[in-house]
C-alpha cells in the first residue's frame, strides 16, 4: 500500500469564486449591488468595479464592467492549491481544450489565472488561486473578524452559485465534462421527459452546498447562455423584507418569494436595473456532509415540488420570461 505521503488527488476546484458582468449602465448597476444589496466596492477604475459581500474576506466576487452589451464576460472558480492552476492548464492542454493564460492583475487583486470555454457549453471559465484579502476602510469595518465589512443594505453575505444553460444537443457533453474534468459532483438532476437520455437540468457542487453551479438546457437552443447568479442572504425574513421594499423601487421583479425543493433554499429572483442580468437572492438550503451522498433524480410530477416547494410555481412554459437568458463572451473577449 502506498504511503499517505505519496497520495496526490490532482487539481481540484475549491468553490465558485466570481463572475464578471458586463453592464451598459455601470452607475445604475452599482446602485443596485452597492447601495441596495450592501456589497462593498473594493476597487474601481476605468469603467470596472470590484465588489464583495460582507462575509467575503477576499478582494472580490463580483466584477462590473461598463460595456455596450449586457453579457457575462467570465465565470470564475478558485482552486484548492496554487499549483492547481498550472495542473489544470496541463490537463486542458492535453485534452486539446484551448486555454488562455492570464497574468496577475488581469483582474485587480487576483493572481495568475487560466481561461477556457466549457466543451459543449462554451461558457468562459477562469480558474485562479491567488487573491488579495484587503481590509475594508475603517468606516465600513466590522468588529467581527470573520466579516470583511459591516452588514449593510439587504445584506449580501457572499456569492452562492452560478446558473448557466446550453443547447439540448450539447448539454450532456457540458454537464459530463464539468464532472469528469473539473470534479463537480452531481447532486440533483432532471432528465427531459420526452428524451430521458438528455439532461434537462443538473445541480453540481464541490462543496457542502447542493450546487456551486447548475447547468440546464437553453430554450432557444443556443450555447453559452447565462440564467442567473445567486447571492447568499442570511435569513428567510430578509428575503421577505426585500420583497416588500422592491415594490417602491424601479427594479424588475422576477419570481418569488418561495422555497425550492431542489436545494431547499428560499429564493427571490430580481433583475439588475443597469444590465437586466437576473439575480437570485438565496437563503437557507441543506448541507451535504456524507462523502457517499447519492445523486437524486426528480421526475414528473414531483419535479414541480423541486422547482417550488412553496410559493407560486415558476413559470417555465413556452415563452415564459423566467426562461429568458443572457449571452456569455467568447474565449478572448
Amino acid at each position: 500500500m502506498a504511503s499517505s505521503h505519496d497520495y496526490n488527488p490532482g487539481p481540484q476546484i475549491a468553490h465558485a469564486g466570481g463572475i464578471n458582468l458586463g453592464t451598459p449602465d455601470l452607475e445604475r448597476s452599482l446602485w443596485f449591488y452597492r447601495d441596495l444589496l450592501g456589497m462593498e466596492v473594493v476597487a474601481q477604475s476605468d469603467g470596472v468595479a470590484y465588489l464583495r459581500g460582507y462575509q467575503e474576506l477576499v478582494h472580490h466576487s463580483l466584477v462590473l464592467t461598463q460595456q455596450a452589451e449586457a453579457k457575462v464576460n467570465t465565470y470564475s472558480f478558485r482552486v484548492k492549491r496554487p499549483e492547481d492552476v498550472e495542473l489544470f492548464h496541463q490537463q486542458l492542454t492535453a485534452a486539446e481544450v484551448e486555454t488562455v493564460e492570464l497574468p496577475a492583475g488581469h483582474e485587480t487583486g487576483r493572481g495568475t489565472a487560466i481561461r477556457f470555454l466549457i466543451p459543449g457549453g462554451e461558457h468562459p471559465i477562469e480558474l485562479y488561486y491567488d487573491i488579495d484579502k484587503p481590509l475594508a476602510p475603517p468606516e465600513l469595518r466590522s468588529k467581527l473578524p470573520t466579516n470583511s465589512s459591516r452588514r449593510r443594505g439587504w445584506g449580501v453575505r457572499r456569492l452562492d452559485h452560478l446558473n448557466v444553460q446550453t443547447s439540448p444537443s450539447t448539454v450532456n457533453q457540458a454537464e459530463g465534462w464539468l464532472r469528469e474534468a473539473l470534479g463537480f459532483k452531481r447532486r440533483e438532476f432532471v432528465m427531459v421527459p420526452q428524451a430521458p437520455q438528455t439532461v434537462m437540468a443538473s445541480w453540481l457542487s464541490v462543496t457542502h452546498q447542493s450546487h456551486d453551479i447548475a447547468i440546464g438546457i437553453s430554450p432557444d437552443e443556443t450555447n453559452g447562455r447565462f440564467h442567473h447568479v445567486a447571492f447568499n442572504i442570511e435569513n428567510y425574513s430578509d428575503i421577505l423584507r426585500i420583497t416588500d421594499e422592491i415594490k417602491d423601487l424601479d427594479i424588475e421583479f422576477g419570481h418569488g418569494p418561495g422555497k425550492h425543493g431542489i436545494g431547499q433554499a428560499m429564493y427571490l429572483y430580481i433583475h439588475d436595473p443597469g444590465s437586466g442580468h437576473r439575480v437570485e437572492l438565496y437563503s437557507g438550503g441543506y448541507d451535504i456532509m456524507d462523502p457517499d451522498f447519492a445523486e437524486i433524480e426528480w421526475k414528473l410530477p414531483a419535479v414541480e415540488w423541486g422547482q417550488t416547494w412553496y410559493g407560486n410555481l415558476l413559470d417555465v412554459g413556452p415563452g415564459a420570461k423566467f426562461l429568458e437568458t443572457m449571452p456569455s463572451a467568447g474565449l478572448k473577449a
Side-chain angles (χ1 to χ4, degrees):
M1 181 178 294
S3 166
S4 61
H5 296 293
D6 298 328
Y7 175 69
N8 187 334
Q12 295 179 298
I13 304 294
H15 62 89
I19 190 168
N20 184 319
L21 297 175
T23 173
D25 190 340
L26 179 60
E27 287 307 312
R28 188 73 170 153
S29 292
L30 276 171
W31 169 76
F32 176 72
Y33 293 102
R34 178 193 60 209
D35 301 337
L36 294 184
L37 273 62
M39 300 184 77
E40 176 194 352
V41 177
V42 178
Q44 183 177 353
S45 64
D46 301 324
V48 182
Y50 299 84
L51 299 91
R52 63 181 175 181
Y54 74 86
Q55 287 184 346
E56 292 179 308
L57 301 178
V58 296
H59 189 275
H60 65 272
S61 62
L62 172 65
V63 183
L64 297 175
T65 302
Q66 175 80 50
Q67 59 193 48
E69 183 181 5
K71 63 182 177 182
V72 178
N73 295 314
T74 55
Y75 310 83
S76 293
F77 293 89
R78 194 176 186 195
V79 297
K80 287 191 174 182
R81 306 172 302 181
E83 62 266 32
D84 286 351
V85 176
E86 178 58 29
L87 290 173
F88 269 122
H89 190 195
Q90 293 173 8
Q91 288 189 8
L92 291 164
T93 301
E96 299 184 344
V97 176
E98 186 178 1
T99 307
V100 175
E101 297 182 69
L102 304 171
H106 175 80
E107 279 194 8
T108 298
R110 207 179 69 176
T112 58
I114 58 172
R115 181 193 294 152
F116 57 90
L117 300 182
I118 296 175
E122 299 182 18
H123 300 86
I125 301 295
E126 292 186 357
L127 303 182
Y128 68 96
Y129 177 80
D130 292 315
I131 187 167
D132 293 346
K133 297 181 179 180
L135 292 176
E139 66 272 17
L140 292 183
R141 203 168 299 164
S142 173
K143 295 177 182 177
L144 289 169
T146 48
N147 288 1
S148 54
S149 65
R150 291 185 289 106
R151 177 175 172 172
R152 297 170 297 114
W154 290 344
V156 162
R157 298 202 292 180
R158 59 178 173 82
L159 185 146
D160 194 280
H161 64 265
L162 307 167
N163 188 298
V164 300
Q165 295 183 351
T166 191
S167 67
S169 62
T170 62
V171 66
N172 282 6
Q173 177 190 4
E175 193 263 358
W177 191 88
L178 287 170
R179 291 187 286 121
E180 294 160 14
L182 297 188
F184 285 95
K185 295 181 180 180
R186 181 193 278 174
R187 303 305 193 179
E188 304 185 59
F189 68 103
V190 182
M191 306 302 281
V192 177
Q194 300 82 3
Q197 302 305 312
T198 300
V199 171
M200 177 180 285
S202 176
W203 291 261
L204 307 136
S205 76
V206 291
T207 66
H208 64 92
Q209 300 186 150
S210 62
H211 55 301
D212 302 304
I213 186 170
I215 188 168
I217 56 173
S218 169
D220 56 4
E221 300 191 4
T222 54
N223 298 338
R225 306 302 296 183
F226 167 69
H227 191 269
H228 68 264
V229 57
F231 292 100
N232 190 274
I233 303 289
E234 185 171 9
N235 298 310
Y236 281 13
S237 58
D238 296 323
I239 300 290
L240 296 176
R241 170 198 163 198
I242 295 165
T243 305
D244 185 52
E245 291 185 7
I246 63 173
K247 289 294 186 181
D248 277 328
L249 302 169
D250 188 18
I251 294 174
E252 184 180 353
F253 192 89
H255 289 75
K259 180 180 177 179
H260 291 305
I262 296 170
Q264 296 191 38
M266 193 170 187
Y267 65 84
L268 175 68
Y269 294 95
I270 54 180
H271 292 260
D272 165 12
S275 67
H277 291 304
R278 184 182 291 105
V279 172
E280 181 183 21
L281 302 179
Y282 190 87
S283 180
Y286 66 85
D287 292 319
I288 297 172
M289 301 299 181
D290 298 328
D292 58 350
F293 181 87
E295 60 188 42
I296 296 167
E297 181 177 6
W298 288 80
K299 297 182 178 181
L300 292 174
V303 71
E304 287 191 353
W305 304 339
Q307 292 173 349
T308 302
W309 183 243
Y310 61 72
N312 294 331
L313 286 177
L314 298 177
D315 182 4
V316 293
K321 189 167 184 59
F322 188 71
L323 297 181
E324 293 179 0
T325 57
M326 304 289 270
S328 301
L331 178 62
K332 300 176 182 179

